[in-house]
Amino acid sequence: MLLLARMVKTLASIVAGVIVVGILLHVFGANSHNEIVRFVYDLDRPLVSPFQSIFNLDSEKLQIALNWGIAAAVYAVVGTLIAHMLAGAALTGYRRRPVV
């Protein structure tokens, strides 16, 4: 169970990191025709789609930074909470065993 908790935490961190990379690429004006940039954007689009229009601002860069930043934070926090619950459940089982 602890391994599963680590995997969940790692996956949530990777997802949040990819979203942050997408934010930085967009804010700094990376060439969207570049294969690497396009790959990152293609990864990010389905991940951030539920958060796409939380705030509608005049500045597109600021809007993406804010909405995608919220998405990254949500993935990181929810992943961490799930990992803590899994780790807690695993450790609870160890505490109940009698010591011989």
Side-chain angles (χ1 to χ4, degrees):
M1 192 82 87
L2 288 175
L3 178 63
L4 182 60
R6 287 186 187 129
M7 289 171 56
V8 167
K9 174 80 172 171
T10 301
L11 182 62
S13 298
I14 289 170
V15 168
V18 168
I19 293 171
V20 169
V21 168
I23 293 169
L24 293 174
L25 288 173
H26 189 77
V27 168
F28 290 122
N31 180 6
S32 62
H33 297 293
N34 181 290
E35 288 297 319
I36 295 171
V37 174
R38 191 178 316 149
F39 176 73
V40 172
Y41 286 165
D42 288 344
L43 283 176
D44 284 344
R45 279 189 194 97
L47 296 172
V48 300
S49 63
F51 304 92
Q52 199 65 8
S53 59
I54 292 177
F55 294 103
N56 291 318
L57 305 173
D58 292 334
S59 170
E60 181 186 1
K61 288 183 180 184
L62 182 60
Q63 179 175 333
I64 286 179
L66 185 60
N67 290 335
W68 289 25
I70 291 170
V74 167
Y75 281 113
V77 168
V78 170
T80 301
L81 290 175
I82 292 171
H84 279 265
M85 289 190 310
L86 289 170
L91 294 176
T92 301
Y94 289 121
R95 290 185 201 131
R96 291 187 182 168
R97 293 182 183 162
V99 178
V100 178

